[in-house]
Amino acid sequence: FFHPPAATPDPLWSRGLGDVYKRQLMVVYADVDIEHDSEFNAWYNEEHIPERMSAPGFLDSARYQALKGGPRYLAVYELESVETLQSPEYKRMSQNPTDWTKRMSPNVVGRGTVRNICTQIYPSEIDPDNTGRGMAPALQIGRMEVPLEIEDKYNDYYDNHRTPRNLTVPGCLAVRRYEVVDGTPKYLTMYEFEHEKVPESLLWEKYRAEDTMHDYIGGNYSHPPGSPGVYRRIFPARAF
C-alpha cells in the first residue's frame, strides 16, 4: 500500500491564500489524443493557465490527469465569484485567442470537452480548516444528475451521513460539494486527497460497502461516462 513520504510536504498544498474562502469553481474536462499530448500540455502550462490567472477574480488553479475514470485531463480554477467570467479582462482573453490557443484549445484538439461553472453548496459556512491550502495533490470528482423528487434526501444524506464518514478516512483532507450553474450534470462532489490511493484503502472500501444512500433516498441518480474519476495533479508539479 502506497504512503506518500511524510518528509516531503507538497509546497502548493501548504501555501496560504490569506483569508479567501473559495466558493466557486470552473472545471474543464477533455480527452486528448496522444499525438497532441506534448504540445497540449505545454500550451496549457506555459500560456493558458498563466493567462487566465492574470485575470481579476481567478484565485488559484491546477491541472490533473485521470488515473481512473475520465475524461483524461481536468483543469480546475477557483473563482472569487461566477461574475469573474464577466470581467472585461476575461472577456477580452476569450474573444481574442492567441494563435497557440486557436491550435491547441481543448475545444479544438479535445474530445468530449466539458466546461462547468459551479457554486459551492457544502460546506455552507467558512471553515478555517478549508482555507488557504492551495490545490490538492489528488482529487476524486463525482458528477451526478439527481431526479428532482429525491434531491432533498440526496443532499441530506451526502452532507450528514456520507461526507462526515468519508472525512474520517486517513488522507481524505476535505469534501466540497457544488451545484453546477452553467453546464450539466447538476451536482459535483470534489474529494480532496493527500494522494490518489486514498479511495483504494480498506476503510474507504468498507464505508462504500456499508453505504445506504440508495435505500435512504428511495431512488437512483446517474453519472455521465467516466464519473467518478480519480485524478493526480500534474501542474503545478507535486512534491511526491
Side-chain angles (χ1 to χ4, degrees):
F1 182 75
F2 172 81
H3 293 279
T8 55
D10 188 319
L12 187 71
W13 181 253
S14 60
R15 73 183 176 89
L17 286 173
D19 294 324
V20 170
Y21 179 59
K22 306 170 193 173
R23 294 201 55 161
Q24 321 296 331
L25 284 185
M26 177 169 67
V27 291
V28 181
Y29 313 86
D31 284 310
V32 175
D33 291 333
I34 196 166
E35 61 263 30
H36 298 303
D37 263 5
S38 179
E39 189 175 4
F40 178 75
N41 285 312
W43 165 77
Y44 236 127
N45 299 349
E46 296 171 18
E47 179 178 281
H48 192 65
I49 292 284
E51 179 187 65
R52 289 299 186 256
M53 291 305 297
S54 72
F58 277 74
L59 304 175
D60 210 346
S61 62
R63 296 186 59 231
Y64 296 82
Q65 186 166 348
L67 301 175
K68 176 183 177 183
R72 185 169 166 228
Y73 286 111
L74 166 67
V76 180
Y77 302 88
E78 298 273 13
L79 307 176
E80 193 171 85
S81 72
V82 294
E83 287 72 31
T84 293
L85 304 178
Q86 302 304 316
S87 73
E89 293 87 348
Y90 180 79
K91 286 185 174 182
R92 184 167 59 250
M93 293 175 187
S94 298
Q95 294 166 5
N96 298 278
T98 67
D99 289 341
W100 207 5
T101 296
K102 291 176 184 177
R103 193 169 71 251
M104 279 293 123
S105 162
N107 292 323
V108 177
V109 300
R111 291 179 286 104
T113 300
V114 175
R115 176 182 178 270
N116 287 164
I117 311 302
C118 314
T119 188
Q120 187 169 308
I121 58 174
Y122 177 92
S124 59
E125 298 180 357
I126 292 176
D127 179 356
D129 292 336
N130 282 350
T131 304
R133 285 195 318 263
M135 306 298 280
L139 302 174
Q140 178 171 293
I141 301 286
R143 297 175 287 145
M144 288 73 72
E145 195 63 61
V146 181
L148 181 62
E149 63 270 18
I150 61 172
E151 272 189 310
D152 288 345
K153 284 191 171 182
Y154 168 86
N155 287 316
D156 177 63
Y157 189 90
Y158 230 122
D159 294 349
N160 298 304
H161 299 274
R162 180 178 287 180
T163 293
R165 184 176 60 236
N166 286 342
L167 281 170
T168 69
V169 176
C172 183
L173 300 165
V175 181
R176 288 188 276 170
R177 296 184 55 238
Y178 295 85
E179 184 174 328
V180 175
V181 296
D182 185 355
T184 58
K186 183 176 179 179
Y187 289 102
L188 181 150
T189 299
M190 175 185 288
Y191 288 94
E192 303 179 30
F193 295 147
E194 286 184 352
H195 54 87
E196 59 272 15
K197 297 295 185 180
V198 172
E200 298 176 17
S201 67
L202 292 177
L203 187 56
W204 188 276
E205 292 286 358
K206 177 179 183 291
Y207 287 162
R208 181 159 48 193
E210 295 173 351
D211 191 90
T212 59
M213 163 78 88
H214 293 290
D215 293 336
Y216 182 84
I217 65 179
N220 294 288
Y221 55 90
S222 60
H223 291 261
S227 172
V230 177
Y231 290 85
R232 174 185 174 87
R233 201 182 74 218
I234 57 173
F235 181 84
R238 284 174 30 170
F240 55 86

